Amino acid sequence: MKILVAIFLSLSVLLGIEIKVGSENTYKPFAYLDEKNSPTGYDNEVIKIVASYIKDAKLNFVSVPWNAIFSGLDSAKFDIIANQIVKNKEREEKYLFSKFPYFYGVSTIITLEDKNISDIKELNNAKIGVTVGSNHANLLENYLKEHPNFKAEIVYYKTSPTLVADLKNKRLDAIVNDPIAVIDYAKAQNIKVRPSEFAFEKVPVYFVFRKDSTELANLIDEALEKAIKDGKISELSIKYFGVDQSQ
């Protein structure tokens, strides 16, 4: 394996390496397109920093809907996912994850500003929206299984902006998501939301690779570790969020 990695790194130096990055690019402020239609946002900027530590690395960003992001990786439309991905048992069985996380996300209940929810139990019999296939959805589903006396209707959405729009239009009582992303969407739709004091968990976020991409994963791990030690990821987190959520 060490010989293969050495060969891979040597070829990368000689020929340069193109790394295709799959991002939702509609998930502001994590992954989105700017006014020039160029990929930006925290996750995209992290991978740009990481690539700067790899000699002759070239990034090619591929925009893909959230509900097709894993199938896009499976079909080799891109080599790595940079889109707020967390680990779960099913994903770990199928994919490789970066050795180091580059963000810690919070999964919490979010309502319109006029509500102040301190505990999920206050939403008994409520309609709660989530993005399909997300960790937020998984956490809510598990909570309902583990608390049979708590009843709620889960409403699934393909995109986060639509999720927030339905909260605004009061088709939902609450949503489960990362407050940083939701507050940004809410500003764009001219509404005010309130994250709850209740949180399901604080979870690390990773880059994701196919199982056959060990060499690339090792290359990214080495570069990401250097970027973390140099303080580059912490600086980026503070720039985007005002606090360091990279550790």
Side-chain angles (χ1 to χ4, degrees), residues 59-78:
L59 296 179
N60 182 6
F61 289 89
V62 180
S63 297
V64 60
W66 165 254
N67 61 331
I69 203 162
F70 285 101
S71 61
L73 183 64
D74 294 339
S75 60
K77 288 183 179 178
F78 39 85

Side-chain angles (χ1 to χ4, degrees), residues 11-239:
L11 288 174
S12 298
V13 171
L14 292 172
L15 305 176
I17 175 173
E18 180 187 31
I19 303 172
K20 294 182 180 179
V21 182
S23 298
E24 185 179 358
N25 287 330
T26 58
Y27 193 28
K28 196 174 181 181
F30 298 108
Y32 64 99
L33 302 179
D34 64 17
E35 62 278 1
K36 296 181 180 179
N37 213 37
S38 298
T40 189
Y42 178 78
D43 291 56
N44 286 332
E45 295 304 323
V46 169
I47 193 63
K48 290 177 187 178
I49 290 172
V50 170
S52 72
Y53 285 81
I54 303 172
K55 184 175 175 59
D56 296 325
K58 300 176 182 178
L59 296 179
N60 182 6
F61 289 89
V62 180
S63 297
V64 60
W66 165 254
N67 61 331
I69 203 162
F70 285 101
S71 61
L73 183 64
D74 294 339
S75 60
K77 288 183 179 178
F78 39 85
D79 310 302
I80 178 174
I81 299 175
N83 203 101
Q84 290 291 296
I85 305 297
V86 302
K87 292 180 179 179
N88 61 34
K89 183 178 179 181
E90 181 181 0
R91 290 172 182 173
E92 287 190 272
E93 288 175 352
K94 191 171 183 180
Y95 303 103
L96 296 177
F97 286 77
S98 56
K99 184 178 179 181
F100 308 98
Y102 60 89
F103 183 81
Y104 284 83
V106 176
S107 187
T108 188
I109 295 286
I110 301 165
T111 62
L112 293 176
E113 189 183 43
D114 59 357
K115 290 186 178 181
N116 189 6
I117 303 298
S118 60
D119 193 284
I120 191 174
K121 294 175 183 177
E122 297 173 47
L123 290 171
N124 198 38
N125 296 316
K127 285 186 177 182
I128 304 176
V130 294
T131 46
V132 63
S134 68
N135 185 60
H136 306 295
N138 185 54
L139 288 169
L140 181 58
E141 290 163 354
N142 289 338
Y143 185 90
L144 291 177
K145 290 177 183 177
E146 294 167 3
H147 299 80
N149 292 328
F150 175 77
K151 305 296 181 183
E153 178 185 347
I154 303 179
V155 185
Y156 295 92
Y157 290 79
K158 291 183 179 180
T159 66
S160 295
T162 307
L163 177 70
V164 175
D166 270 9
L167 179 65
K168 173 184 178 180
N169 295 325
K170 298 186 177 181
R171 296 189 181 98
L172 297 170
D173 299 296
I175 61 180
V176 176
N177 210 301
D178 188 301
I180 288 176
V182 171
I183 288 170
D184 198 86
Y185 286 128
K187 285 181 180 178
Q189 298 186 35
N190 197 31
I191 63 172
K192 293 182 179 180
V193 296
R194 185 190 297 273
S196 170
E197 296 174 6
F198 172 89
F200 288 101
E201 63 179 359
K202 180 180 178 181
V203 291
V205 169
Y206 301 87
F207 295 124
V208 185
F209 313 84
R210 289 184 300 277
K211 284 285 191 181
D212 62 1
S213 298
T214 305
E215 293 88 354
L216 176 60
N218 289 338
L219 188 66
I220 294 294
D221 282 341
E222 182 180 343
L224 178 56
E225 183 176 20
K226 291 178 181 177
I228 291 171
K229 287 182 177 179
D230 287 346
K232 298 295 185 181
I233 309 304
S234 292
E235 289 174 9
L236 185 70
S237 178
I238 292 170
K239 173 185 174 181

